[in-house]
Amino acid sequence: MATEVASGRGNSKIGKRVGLVYDERMCKHRTPDEEPHPENPNRIRVIWNKLHSAGIAQRCVVFSAKEAEDKYILPVHGKDHVNLIRNVSSKQYDSRRKRIAARLNSIYLNEGSSEAAYLAAGSVIDVAERVAKGELSSAFAIVRPPGHHAERDEAMGFCLYNNVAIATNYILNERSELGVKKILIVDWDIHHGNGTQKMFWKDPRVLFFSVHRHEFGSFYPANDEGDYTMIGEGPGAGYNINVPWENGRCGDADYLAVWDHMLMPVAREFNPDMIMVSAGFDAAMGDPLGGCRVTPYGYSVMLKKLMDFAKGKVVLALEGGYNLASIANSALACMEVLLDDKVTPGSTEAYPFESTWRVIQAVRRKLKSFWPTLSEELPTKLMSQITPLPQIVISSDSEGEDEEVAQILLDRFPEVLQDIIQPLSALKVNDSDNVQTSSSWRSDFSKVDIWYASFGSNMWKPRFLCYIEGGQMEGMQKECSGSMDKSPPKEILWKTYAHQLFFGRESTKMWGPGGVAFIHPKSNHQDETYLCLYRITFEQFNDVLHQENITGSMDFPLLDLTGLSSVQEKGSITLEAVKSGCYRNVLYLGKVHGIPVLTMTCTLSDVEGFKSGKFPLRAPSREYTNTLVRGLVEGGLFSEEEAKAYIDEAASKSL
């Protein structure tokens, strides 16, 4: 499956041959318009450069990749999915590629995506086979795109093919003569490996063990599949183990407690013939999406403990990890373990969080009937050794700390609010006559990112930038003041959501006569609307809210951090301070990259008004329509004719 490029010295003391796969062709998979994105080619480049400069690559057997064959992918992925991934980079898909990606969950596609997906899957198959045969002692596949979210019939979460699942199936079912009858898959990526879990849900030959942020189903992939109650089914019951963190900030002590009191006892009883590691490094300190604090030392200890099983036959396949310094240092620490059994210098003086012990106990109790080694209760003295969950501790030992703090403010708002932000509840808007203003809210809100999702004229980036930079576009009846922070969006992407698009109102101050766009606040799986997502600060979002609802003042926030927490719990929140605003209903659409997606539309009572005729349903003006068409066309989703047809259909469809 791969070509051997160079054979290093290996480890002469113990005769180790450690495999390493890297191929620059996997860097061809990137965002179609070079937009910034956390899953980008530099992720694998920095790892390779770190290993090379440290002299690690020179001591390994280095391979370049060849593509996986469809016949080895099809047992894991459906035929339609394989056909899509194989062909989506071809010229025949040029006009449809962005539209396809927008329908998927956290996916982008370009001319290099197909080749990279096949190379990633093929690389993991190849080194797994070589380790199973004994040609290699162990191996690390530096691959992208990652794989553990990819399901049988769907790409999602940056993942196109499920690389580890494909390789595991290949070893067990295509190369049974190699004698590998049981495989342990350890997924230490910060996100739950939902795709891998489903692949082996009923298979007792595979023990799937995932430790991840879950937070009761609110952390990506934001469902119940990563809960500890999900243990497998039929003959696979008990062979699916989830350890779901209740909070961020988990570090070495938390992970090693799980290793010592969950994974190690079960692994001894399972006695695998081989171990596959979904090696995501987004639980590392400083990762902008993960919000946890595992160090290179922590990763090296976790891997060293795994090397005690299966005669050290361990294959690491890269999954997530989005702080370039963190993933490079973490990968280096793991390679030193594979080559020298050497743990990176460090120590774990802290204790786990109380929530960590609570989760460990819950998992052990759920699975003790399947694994007798878990039957014994953990000593009270052991579980009394805890570290209080910090409000926020900002240290200078982590790159990307600003992004991490912003992520924690979002994801752990109830815990961090009290000590970081001065009574923000005082900023809460109850009515238009009782609004407290504060110059400090802008500083606090600027540290928090959200996605603003637009379905109307703001889909066209130059028009949206009027709300950020100020200005006026053709067809607009008034000039926009812009945001106090005039920084452009950090990221732009497109997605579809199951909400009905419609047009209403006789006229507006911004566009004059003609209807403007709304989406129905309630979702309906039969509807599909395209939204352009802009990653901006929560401060900027408030300024956009003010301008959309024409409040006349931006001295106070329309939605404070309490409201941000509330809208994520309730799904929507009405801004009582702008009772006459067209877009006073803030809608929560889920998360992308762990960041909440918000849009603004009419209220449900307004929808009833549109249905009853209290408010007119009206097609948009030519100028407004042209702005929507520009957004859809320049976003790469439609031709001009297709965009006009999409708008006409929405304007003619009844509520």
Side-chain angles (χ1 to χ4, degrees), residues 619-632:
S621 66
R622 185 180 64 183
E623 292 82 2
Y624 188 83
T625 298
N626 288 342
T627 305
L628 270 64
V629 168
R630 285 181 173 181
L632 293 164

Side-chain angles (χ1 to χ4, degrees), residues 159-174:
C159 304
L160 303 184
Y161 281 148
N162 195 314
N163 308 316
V164 166
I166 292 168
T168 298
N169 178 79
Y170 174 81
I171 297 298
L172 290 174
N173 297 319
E174 303 293 337

Side-chain angles (χ1 to χ4, degrees), residues 456-457 463 473-477 502-518 583 616-630 643-644 647-648 651:
S457 63
R463 189 275 175 256
M473 303 302 296
E474 182 182 353
M476 293 168 61
Q477 303 296 304
F502 67 96
F503 297 91
R505 298 283 180 176
E506 191 69 40
S507 65
T508 59
K509 292 180 180 179
M510 181 63 74
W511 290 99
V516 290
F518 298 93
Y583 296 99
L617 290 168
R618 184 170 176 182
S621 66
R622 185 180 64 183
E623 292 82 2
Y624 188 83
T625 298
N626 288 342
T627 305
L628 270 64
V629 168
R630 285 181 173 181
K644 288 179 178 177
I647 294 164
D648 289 345

Side-chain angles (χ1 to χ4, degrees), residues 410 441-442 444-455 458 464 467-469 481-490 531-551 553-554 556-561 563-565 567-568 571-575 578 583-590 595-601:
L410 272 174
W441 69 270
R442 289 192 175 276
D444 296 326
F445 290 16
S446 69
K447 297 183 177 72
V448 178
D449 280 2
I450 61 96
W451 293 100
Y452 162 54
S454 172
F455 47 82
N458 287 332
F464 172 67
Y467 278 159
I468 301 299
E469 300 171 353
S481 60
S483 174
M484 293 289 286
D485 176 3
K486 301 191 183 302
S487 304
K490 299 171 184 173
L531 282 80
C532 182
L533 277 60
Y534 298 97
R535 184 175 172 181
I536 59 176
T537 68
F538 192 45
E539 176 196 6
Q540 290 175 313
F541 180 74
N542 265 279
D543 288 344
V544 173
L545 271 176
H546 274 288
Q547 293 173 86
E548 279 283 16
N549 289 287
I550 314 179
T551 62
S553 170
M554 295 195 299
F556 57 89
L558 289 175
L559 185 69
D560 63 18
L561 287 168
L564 178 59
S565 181
V567 74
Q568 292 179 72
S572 66
I573 191 168
T574 301
L575 305 174
V578 284
Y583 296 99
R584 66 186 186 280
N585 186 21
V586 177
L587 207 61
Y588 172 62
L589 299 176
I595 298 171
V597 180
L598 304 178
T599 191
M600 55 193 81
T601 186

